[in-house]
Amino acid sequence: MVSNQIVTTPYAGKLVLGAQSAAQRDGLVLMVVNSEGNTDTELRAIRSLLQHQVDGVLYAALVKQIVHVPDVLDNTITTVVHGHPSSTNHPAVLSDERDGARRAVRHLLDYGHRRIGFVTTTQVLVAADERLTGYHEALAQSDVQFDPALVKAGETSPQGARQAALELLDRADRPTAIFCFSDHMAMGVYQAASLLGLRIPEDLSVVGFGDLELISAGLMPQLTTVAIPYFDMGAAAVRSVLDRMEQSGGSAAAPSQVLLPCDLVSRASVSAPATQA
């Protein structure tokens, strides 16, 4: 497993465990390389792995984005994890974050919310585009008119989200619920609500994305969120490599893309709005 950051993030454990579990079942050993975003370090590590004649490579991204796989891996069985390859040379294992966002917003709609804000990131990411698309689609499926004033972007941090949420909430026609790009950004929404004297979920319902349990289960009230299937992605990526290894023996071609669902994790941060919008 080669990555620029993922093995040093809180999400890494489940991804690595999923890959390790699948590898062990087939008698393989998983080695993990983290380049910390340094291209030279990454290339040296990859060349070292290739010299040790590894069977395949999992090339993992921190956040769902366009991934440029190094040319040095062109002749090695490589599967991209949590990213869209910039070329068609490599298959990918991805989370269905568009549908995950639809589930999150539909959950709020089912509780009766109609003015639903979206606090998103200013970063240019595939994940941001997909979650915004899912937000749009859920509203449209319930015949709720999209209001661009209810979408605010900030830095991908509690501080950035707090400022974006204050802009949404400090107004007479404030939303009764907010869907957040990430659990980290949901922390900022909680902070903004506290500053304005709003109670969660009585005055404001909040849904995050990612299910980082240190945050989602640690916030009070605990955060309803969407879980990214990191363990399953790690396992599916190993299976993708194994399928391509078998393919050389004449079996059917492995799929170019595996899309895994993102499940809603319901906790205590959502309730019916105090007044129906």
Side-chain angles (χ1 to χ4, degrees):
M1 179 177 288
V2 177
S3 175
N4 61 352
Q5 284 182 307
I6 197 160
V7 298
T8 59
T9 72
Y11 302 108
K14 290 181 180 179
L15 184 72
V16 173
L17 283 174
Q20 188 175 53
S21 176
Q24 287 176 343
R25 283 197 297 270
D26 279 85
L28 300 173
V29 175
L30 180 73
M31 293 184 286
V32 180
V33 172
N34 186 50
S35 70
E36 288 293 339
N38 186 303
T39 301
D40 291 337
T41 299
E42 180 177 89
L43 287 175
R44 283 197 300 271
I46 290 173
R47 291 190 177 105
S48 177
L49 292 173
L50 296 180
Q51 287 172 0
H52 285 81
Q53 297 181 328
V54 295
D55 293 295
V57 172
L58 313 181
Y59 195 81
L62 171 63
V63 179
K64 197 174 184 183
Q65 57 192 288
I66 302 297
V67 172
H68 302 280
V69 179
D71 294 341
V72 69
L73 288 173
D74 281 351
N75 296 317
T76 301
I77 295 174
T78 302
T79 293
V80 174
V81 189
H82 208 206
H84 289 277
S86 57
S87 74
T88 58
N89 295 337
H90 307 288
V93 173
L94 304 158
S95 55
D96 192 347
E97 298 185 18
R98 177 174 166 181
D99 182 63
R102 276 198 302 263
R103 295 185 189 203
V105 177
R106 192 181 304 125
H107 185 66
L108 293 168
L109 290 162
D110 288 345
Y111 268 87
H113 294 278
R114 291 299 178 266
R115 285 189 63 74
I116 301 172
F118 181 30
V119 170
T120 187
T121 177
T122 52
Q123 288 182 272
V124 179
L125 297 170
V126 172
D129 292 340
E130 291 188 356
R131 295 175 201 180
L132 179 59
T133 298
Y135 167 81
H136 276 282
E137 290 175 345
L139 295 177
Q141 288 167 359
S142 295
D143 295 322
V144 174
Q145 182 69 35
F146 168 68
D147 182 353
L150 292 180
V151 177
K152 295 291 182 182
E155 293 182 2
T156 318
S157 66
Q159 296 80 5
R162 182 176 63 232
Q163 182 56 46
L166 285 171
E167 294 177 23
L168 283 175
L169 296 172
D170 195 13
R171 48 192 289 175
D173 60 345
R174 64 174 178 83
T176 61
I178 292 180
F179 169 49
C180 306
F181 172 76
S182 68
D183 292 351
H184 283 95
M185 298 192 81
M187 288 179 64
V189 174
Y190 271 55
Q191 293 167 5
S194 178
L195 288 171
L196 296 172
L198 299 175
R199 300 165 300 164
I200 298 172
E202 293 86 353
D203 302 316
L204 178 70
S205 290
V206 181
V207 177
F209 206 107
D211 196 26
L212 178 57
E213 292 182 10
L214 287 172
I215 297 174
S216 57
L219 286 170
M220 293 296 293
Q222 292 186 342
L223 178 67
T224 294
T225 186
V226 176
I228 297 174
Y230 286 104
F231 185 95
D232 292 342
M233 282 196 293
V238 170
R239 288 195 296 271
S240 171
V241 168
L242 293 174
D243 286 345
R244 294 183 71 194
M245 289 168 59
E246 293 174 1
Q247 184 181 332
S248 62
S251 64
S256 61
Q257 185 180 99
V258 175
L259 195 62
L260 300 176
C262 296
D263 293 330
L264 183 80
V265 181
S266 180
R267 294 193 179 93
S269 63
V270 175
S271 68
T275 57
Q276 295 291 331

